Amino acid sequence: MELPLALLSSLKGLPGYDESAFLAVHQSGEQVTSVRVNPLKWNSANGIMITGDDEQSLPETALRPVPWTSNGYYIDKRPSFTFDPFFHAGAYYVQEASSMFLEQAMMQGTDLTKPLRVLDACAAPGGKSTHLLSLLSPDSLLVSNEVIKARVNILRDNLSKWGHANQVVTQSDPRFFSTLENYFDVIVVDAPCSGSGLFRKDEDAVAEWSEQHVILCAQRQQRILSDLLPALRPGGLLIYSTCSYSSEEDESVLHWLEHEHEMRIVPLKTDPAWGVIPSGGGYRFWPHHTKGKDYSWLPWKKQQILPAIPG
Ligand code: SAM
């Protein structure tokens, strides 16, 4: 896989970046699979979670915990999820381990025992929303919004399979939420981005990457955030993430939030063994950072999360 030279040179100097290790992990072709189980439906007494088909049954011993979440596991192989009735029943969700870091932002940035009004503003296909439902108290409300109509059905299906009643799905442009002034305790923005974190999974994404697209994405991310911030109550928590490695979409957006919107960064405690790299107030998941002897796989998707409280 040929990575764009302009991307590689733009990453030089970022905390935790190591070009040869970054290139090697992209050339290796190794795929990391992880799942997050649904505590409403997952019966650990079964000893088997993912059946796939008879040949591919995975005993619980084949699962290794993702350390920053309570219900996430790396799995040794990738079964045919589409043939698994547990998958269709919402017993688990296939999700990148780095995405599950949302749990740390929610646990450390809010009081999960209290009823919270939460907006997942860019929600399809529902990875973050299903995770939020597992974390929130039953008297909390989750609004899962997806602006692209064609992506709303899959979001609705995934949330309905997850089995919680305290959620609604909306299909609105983020700017319409500005009329719900100070309504939400938490807003999650898992922003549309230039997608360099997806290269290992989808080689075609490499051809679509350009410096110009990074700039356009950064502008769109700022527009989405500006539209949503009026709906966040004073003292509320904003969680921002992308799957782009580009600092224009990550650290620069954090800097802009701090200086143009008077947001305060909430630092998160992380275990050094996780290999999560603090950077510019957020957290990077580089694919080349090892996790110590218990975790032979690495989260490959870079994720940056900004819990921030308006001043
Ligand atoms: N949070 C989702 C999950 O965990 O499954 C993934 C979200 S994906 C990274 C970004 C989402 O933003 C996509 O569903 C995309 O359709 C949506 N999107 C695209 N353009 C948007 C815009 N202008 N405003 C808000 N959302 C947008």
Side-chain angles (χ1 to χ4, degrees):
M1 181 190 303
E2 288 284 315
L3 294 179
L5 289 177
L7 172 68
L8 296 177
S9 69
S10 74
L11 301 180
K12 286 196 172 94
L14 285 171
Y17 181 63
D18 171 341
E19 186 163 294
S20 52
F22 183 78
L23 285 171
V25 89
H26 279 83
Q27 302 310 342
S28 73
E30 184 200 27
Q31 296 285 340
V32 179
T33 304
S34 46
V35 297
R36 185 171 38 72
V37 300
N38 184 347
L40 279 187
K41 303 189 178 191
W42 152 241
N43 179 2
S44 58
N46 286 348
I48 293 181
M49 183 184 67
I50 299 161
T51 53
D53 55 46
D54 284 347
E55 283 74 47
Q56 291 179 319
S57 295
L58 290 179
E60 212 177 351
T61 50
L63 310 173
R64 300 186 200 188
V66 175
W68 45 84
T69 178
S70 39
N71 293 308
Y73 299 91
Y74 297 104
I75 58 178
D76 277 334
K77 53 183 180 178
R78 193 178 176 92
S80 309
F81 293 117
T82 48
F83 295 119
D84 183 4
F86 288 172
F87 173 75
H88 294 287
Y92 63 90
Y93 192 94
V94 184
Q95 188 179 39
E96 300 309 326
S98 56
S99 294
M100 303 174 200
F101 193 63
L102 172 68
E103 187 164 321
Q104 292 300 320
M106 287 298 289
M107 271 173 39
Q108 298 185 41
T110 64
D111 181 351
L112 288 168
T113 62
K114 297 236 166 80
L116 296 172
R117 293 167 176 171
V118 180
L119 171 64
D120 183 3
C122 310
K128 303 280 188 309
S129 280
T130 52
H131 197 173
L132 287 164
L133 286 170
S134 299
L135 296 171
L136 293 170
S137 62
D139 48 358
S140 294
L141 171 70
L142 175 68
V143 177
S144 298
N145 181 66
E146 170 54 47
V147 67
I148 308 231
K149 197 174 178 189
R151 291 171 60 82
V152 173
N153 278 349
I154 181 71
L155 173 64
R156 198 181 285 116
D157 282 358
N158 282 333
L159 293 188
S160 122
K161 285 190 288 190
W162 209 248
H164 292 248
N166 55 335
Q167 53 89 10
V168 289
V169 172
T170 57
Q171 192 238 316
S172 291
D173 188 282
R175 72 176 186 275
F176 292 112
F177 286 96
S178 60
T179 55
L180 288 174
E181 216 176 318
N182 299 336
Y183 185 79
F184 291 102
D185 300 294
V186 180
I187 298 183
V188 177
V189 181
D190 189 24
C193 69
S194 62
S196 42
L198 302 176
F199 289 171
R200 290 183 72 201
K201 202 171 161 189
D202 174 13
E203 216 173 319
D204 294 344
V206 179
E208 284 159 30
W209 188 92
S210 71
E211 288 172 287
Q212 187 56 26
H213 191 216
V214 169
I215 292 164
L216 286 175
C217 286
Q219 289 167 346
R220 180 169 57 182
Q221 287 148 1
Q222 294 186 4
R223 196 171 61 241
I224 291 171
L225 289 164
S226 299
D227 286 342
L228 293 169
L229 281 177
L232 185 63
R233 73 159 170 82
L237 184 77
L238 170 70
I239 302 175
Y240 173 73
S241 59
T242 76
C243 57
S244 162
Y245 294 116
S246 296
S247 62
E248 291 88 338
E249 299 176 72
D250 301 322
E251 287 85 349
S252 300
V253 174
L254 268 63
H255 187 267
W256 171 81
L257 281 167
E258 248 190 307
H259 292 90
E260 301 292 322
H261 289 280
E262 299 181 341
M263 302 292 281
R264 180 167 66 78
I265 286 175
V266 180
L268 301 179
K269 286 196 195 83
T270 56
D271 183 332
W274 296 352
V276 178
I277 308 291
S279 178
Y283 301 87
R284 279 188 171 261
F285 285 73
W286 291 109
H288 50 274
H289 277 282
T290 50
K291 293 283 151 294
K293 65 179 164 50
D294 290 339
Y295 301 99
S296 54
W297 296 302
L298 317 171
W300 56 270
K301 180 177 140 186
K302 182 243 150 220
Q303 176 100 352
Q304 182 160 27
I305 300 221
L306 167 75
I309 297 179

